[in-house]
Amino acid sequence: MTERVIIFDTTLRDGEQSPGASMNTGEKLRLAIQLEKLGVDVIEAGFPAASEGDLEAVAAIAARLKRAEIAALARASRHDIDQAWKAIEHAAKPRIHTFIATSDIHLEYKLKMSRDEVVKAAVEAVSYARSLTDNVEFSAEDGSRSDRDFLCRIFEAVIAAGATTVNLPDTVGYAIPQEYAELLGYVMKNTPNSGKAIFSVHCHNDLGLATANTIAAIGAGARQAEVTINGIGERAGNTSLEEVVMALHTRSNLIAVESSIHTKYIHPTSRLVSMITGIIVQPNKAIVGANAFAHEAGIHQDGVLKNPMTYEIMKPETVGLTANTLVLGKHSGRHALRSHLKNMGYDLSDDELGLIFTKFKELADKKKQVVDEDLEVIVTEGILRTSDVFKLDYLQVIAGNTVLPMASVRLVVNGRSVQGAGYGNGPIDATFNTIAKLAGTSSELQRFSVSALTGGTDAQGEVTVRLRENGLVALGKGADPDIITASAKAYVNGLNRLEYLKTHPVAEAAVL
Ligand SMILES: [Zn+2]
């Protein structure tokens, strides 16, 4: 019989630690619903002790989802565990995930604790968490650089205290596949009660080895993999869900371990994460990059035409990369829109549907075919960002080769309308200058990029901006058939994200 590996997705927790990736509660909830649809077993929804905003988002997800387990992260302290529990106590399947560092370097310089003290704190935390729920995970932070016999000792103690999952993370992305598999095998073999818990792995990609390490560890007996969509995360990121899942799927002849992921939702989920966080997927990224299934070279094309299996090891349809299906056109009615959005994971109120329907009609007038990506943009812009401080109300731009580019803008700032006009080197510069003046921002525009959301010349332009203010970094996104409008939307979205960050500080400590 084929064994199963539990897919533990931490896009909402570890992924959110990517610079600029912070998401609001509505965005996190939307993503959680998508992750459940994808078939993820466990969703790590956040770190409730980090901030009130995080607690609120985790609680919203816990209240909504019924199928996936909802994990909340907590340091090995009563306060953190209480906050975690407060967020998930009403979840259908709650899990408390607590951790403490186990490597000598962390013990000496960060925790200033002895090994005995660390074991005691871990056992206390797990026992306390276990008094609240019977689903408790313990992680040995910096596990891959920890003494292997100490790992056996602490895992034995926390399993005895009630941990049902124990995680051996490669927190700093230092491990090499053979070494990591050997370490995990050793620890599983030498922890006397290892059979009573599921062993988990969590890798970072600093050496580009996160997926390789995760696959090696699964080969050595790990039955939970901690991953993120598109591999987003701190520094070089986490192990990417799609790479692990498709490696297991494609090479099942070598590793007889299955996941419960519905692979056809991989691509839509990847798109959604990129759309919500503003983090663009590199074109050559495995599985979900724009070029991952593009066979450009002539010789390849010839082979692929004769038989796709000559060069393709996976079918694009398997990961949900189908030709954009026509979903709705300008004559589609409200009812068709509602049922289509419901299929995509949106349960909208009548008011919300009314708003989206209006925007859909506007887009359908400009663009022949409205596909899922377009609808996703309309909803993320229209519904998920409603708590915005700044709203773009009106934009008119004059540009050309004989005039000085000028933009007239009306912004709604905290419900109050302000308007003005300004010049720039080009139409986008003029637009940004004017918006900046009206918003009174002191942020710096660090990056600006444009791409097409789907194929065709009538495709919506998708713009990403990176803004920085007093050490805070925000990514803003906007889409529109008109590039200048898309740019203005992205800039305004970036400003709103900066405002959000000012009131919702990101967790101070980088963890796990
Ligand atoms: Zn991590």
Side-chain angles (χ1 to χ4, degrees):
M1 223 185 80
T2 314
E3 289 199 59
R4 233 173 62 82
V5 60
I6 293 166
I7 299 295
F8 175 113
D9 181 281
T10 185
T11 306
L12 294 168
R13 200 278 299 166
D14 214 337
E16 207 204 13
Q17 290 178 216
S18 318
S22 63
M23 300 167 241
N24 68 33
T25 298
E27 291 167 333
K28 285 185 179 175
L29 186 58
R30 166 67 191 118
L31 195 46
I33 290 167
Q34 181 68 24
L35 290 169
E36 191 177 64
K37 189 172 168 186
L38 178 65
V40 161
D41 301 285
V42 187
I43 295 171
E44 184 161 60
F47 183 9
S51 70
E52 274 303 311
D54 226 8
L55 193 152
E56 177 194 300
V58 177
I61 292 165
R64 175 73 183 266
L65 300 194
K66 298 286 170 256
R67 206 151 24 90
E69 287 179 30
I70 306 301
L73 187 69
R75 281 165 294 207
S77 79
R78 272 193 175 240
H79 169 261
D80 272 31
I81 293 169
D82 283 334
Q83 294 296 98
W85 185 241
K86 207 161 130 189
I88 57 170
E89 62 180 326
H90 300 299
K93 298 178 190 168
R95 172 187 292 202
I96 295 175
H97 179 193
T98 187
F99 72 96
I100 194 164
T102 50
S103 65
D104 288 338
I105 187 164
H106 277 238
L107 262 59
E108 188 178 342
Y109 296 100
K110 190 179 85 174
L111 298 176
K112 302 190 195 316
M113 286 166 82
S114 69
R115 286 186 177 180
D116 289 346
E117 286 167 333
V118 166
V119 173
K120 187 163 171 278
V123 167
E124 278 174 10
V126 169
S127 306
Y128 182 54
R130 201 45 217 260
S131 74
L132 304 168
T133 172
D134 58 7
N135 187 349
V136 176
E137 172 169 345
F138 170 77
S139 284
E141 186 190 358
D142 204 17
S144 60
R145 293 194 300 169
S146 302
D147 177 77
R148 51 181 57 197
D149 292 314
F150 181 57
L151 285 173
C152 298
R153 181 183 157 200
I154 198 164
F155 282 161
E156 182 185 2
V158 295
I159 293 169
T164 43
T165 302
V166 289
N167 181 33
L168 200 171
D170 183 25
T171 304
V172 292
Y174 180 70
I176 299 287
Q178 299 89 319
E179 173 197 39
Y180 192 50
E182 202 271 323
L183 173 66
L184 186 87
Y186 178 90
V187 172
M188 286 182 74
K189 186 160 167 264
N190 293 287
T191 302
N193 51 2
S194 64
K196 291 186 176 156
I198 288 178
F199 275 71
S200 167
V201 288
H202 175 121
C203 299
H204 278 267
N205 206 30
D206 298 70
L207 292 173
L209 292 170
T211 299
N213 284 331
T214 299
I215 295 292
I218 291 170
R223 287 297 173 265
Q224 174 175 289
E226 303 197 355
V227 292
T228 64
I229 302 293
N230 298 341
I232 66 169
E234 260 190 288
R235 309 186 310 275
N238 285 66
T239 309
S240 96
L241 178 146
E242 60 277 9
E243 292 175 12
V244 170
V245 166
M246 289 314 292
L248 294 176
H249 191 270
T250 308
R251 301 309 309 275
S252 55
N253 58 327
L254 279 186
I255 318 161
V257 179
E258 286 179 340
S259 78
S260 56
I261 297 299
H262 306 300
T263 59
K264 65 175 176 178
Y265 294 125
I266 284 178
H267 201 262
T269 309
S270 163
R271 285 284 316 150
L272 184 65
V273 168
S274 159
M275 202 175 290
I276 287 179
T277 60
I279 300 173
I280 298 165
V281 176
Q282 77 199 55
N284 57 320
K285 167 81 176 62
I287 319 294
V288 293
N291 296 346
F293 288 92
H295 296 271
E296 300 277 354
I299 181 165
H300 283 211
Q301 266 180 8
D302 184 51
V304 169
L305 286 176
K306 284 173 181 151
N307 180 351
M309 296 312 277
T310 45
Y311 289 99
E312 278 184 6
I313 58 165
M314 296 169 276
K315 291 201 182 94
E317 307 88 85
T318 310
V319 296
L321 196 64
T322 41
N324 289 313
T325 41
L326 165 66
V327 294
L328 297 163
K330 65 187 290 182
H331 301 298
S332 303
R334 195 180 279 257
H335 185 74
L337 180 68
R338 181 193 285 276
S339 83
H340 196 85
L341 287 170
K342 203 171 157 89
N343 274 337
M344 289 171 67
Y346 292 111
D347 264 321
L348 302 185
S349 69
D350 287 343
D351 284 354
E352 288 172 335
L353 185 72
L355 177 77
I356 298 308
F357 189 67
T358 309
K359 289 182 183 270
F360 158 71
K361 283 288 180 190
E362 281 168 21
L363 183 64
D365 277 339
K366 295 180 194 164
K367 194 171 179 288
K368 282 194 296 289
Q369 303 183 350
V370 178
V371 299
D372 283 4
E373 281 96 333
D374 295 315
L375 288 179
E376 201 79 70
V377 165
I378 294 177
V379 180
T380 47
E381 289 185 352
I383 306 277
L384 302 181
R385 297 178 189 162
T386 44
S387 58
D388 287 353
V389 173
F390 305 107
K391 267 189 193 141
L392 181 68
D393 193 26
Y394 170 90
L395 169 68
Q396 192 193 21
V397 175
I398 301 166
N401 60 356
T402 56
V403 293
L404 193 58
M406 191 195 86
S408 311
V409 176
R410 187 161 63 229
L411 270 192
V412 179
V413 182
N414 280 321
R416 201 170 52 85
S417 202
V418 287
Q419 56 189 357
Y423 297 96
N425 288 329
I428 291 171
D429 190 42
T431 304
F432 283 11
N433 287 342
T434 311
I435 292 173
K437 197 168 63 186
L438 294 174
T441 182
S442 55
S443 62
E444 174 202 351
L445 176 68
Q446 290 191 312
R447 203 188 299 149
F448 171 82
S449 70
V450 188
S451 59
L453 189 58
T454 54
T457 49
D458 67 348
Q460 296 204 67
E462 188 180 33
V463 174
T464 306
V465 299
R466 180 183 161 113
L467 302 179
R468 189 181 181 94
E469 185 178 355
N470 294 328
L472 298 174
V473 173
L475 298 173
K477 270 207 151 187
D480 197 273
D482 176 77
I483 291 289
I484 298 167
T485 305
S487 304
K489 283 182 178 175
Y491 190 53
V492 169
N493 178 235
L495 292 174
N496 281 316
R497 284 176 181 272
L498 275 177
E499 290 304 311
Y500 183 81
L501 284 176
K502 288 177 194 167
T503 49
H504 296 77
V506 183
E508 81 288 0
V511 288
L512 271 188

